[in-house]
Amino acid sequence: MESWDPTQTGVVALPNGRLVRGRALRSGAVADGDAPDFGLYLTSRPHQERWESHWILWPDFRLPREPTEAILAIGDAYERSAHGRVEIACGGGRGRTGTALAILARYAGVPADEAVAWVRAEYRSGAVETPGQRRFVRRALLAL
């Protein structure tokens, strides 16, 4: 399995060097050569792709309906990122995706109180959109 091109839009290098891609599903379909090995999709309706994926029920501007399941799924995506191309995506690629990327950064060693600032600096300035999402990043009990 190959890794992401670090210069590609949405690709973030975690502090330990693992690369993950954040993406807005509204941006359209992924080209065949640009498909991830695994995708974690954070949407209010079931989402499935043609590659291996996992869907988390996570309404826009809110928190996941099953927070423990979401933390476990983000931890699984983190583990998979060591050996393959992993993407995290939601409708706009900012709030829910940013929240999950901030939690990935925590798995990679970023302190809880710095993870939101880290993802805003490394991924998108508007990532992690709501106060509830910021609290979720800070308070999440990591599974690993």
Side-chain angles (χ1 to χ4, degrees):
M1 292 184 199
E2 64 183 75
S3 186
W4 294 111
D5 173 353
T7 64
Q8 182 181 18
T9 301
V11 173
V12 176
L14 296 173
N16 59 5
R18 294 183 188 187
L19 300 176
V20 294
R21 179 172 73 185
R23 183 168 72 89
L25 294 171
R26 286 187 213 122
S27 295
V30 171
D32 286 337
D34 198 30
D37 299 313
F38 177 80
L40 179 60
Y41 301 102
L42 317 168
T43 60
S44 58
R45 295 187 181 146
H47 186 86
Q48 187 174 346
E49 291 286 358
R50 58 188 188 275
W51 48 81
E52 187 178 1
S53 65
H54 185 82
W55 168 69
I56 296 291
L57 174 57
W58 193 329
D60 202 6
F61 299 107
R62 303 225 188 303
L63 297 178
R65 291 290 162 94
E66 298 292 335
T68 301
E69 177 191 356
I71 296 300
L72 290 171
I74 295 167
D76 177 57
Y78 175 75
E79 288 301 314
R80 290 170 182 264
S81 72
H83 305 289
R85 291 166 34 137
V86 170
E87 82 169 4
I88 311 287
C90 67
R94 269 193 357 197
R96 295 165 286 182
T97 297
T99 300
L101 289 172
I103 292 170
L104 282 176
R106 286 194 52 206
Y107 275 109
V110 174
D113 59 346
E114 297 174 19
V116 171
W118 183 91
V119 81
R120 287 177 173 171
E122 299 298 324
Y123 172 62
R124 286 179 80 171
S125 61
V128 191
E129 295 175 302
T130 70
Q133 290 171 344
R134 291 190 293 275
R135 278 190 302 276
F136 185 65
V137 169
R138 256 190 342 270
R139 296 177 181 170
L141 299 175
L142 303 186
L144 299 177

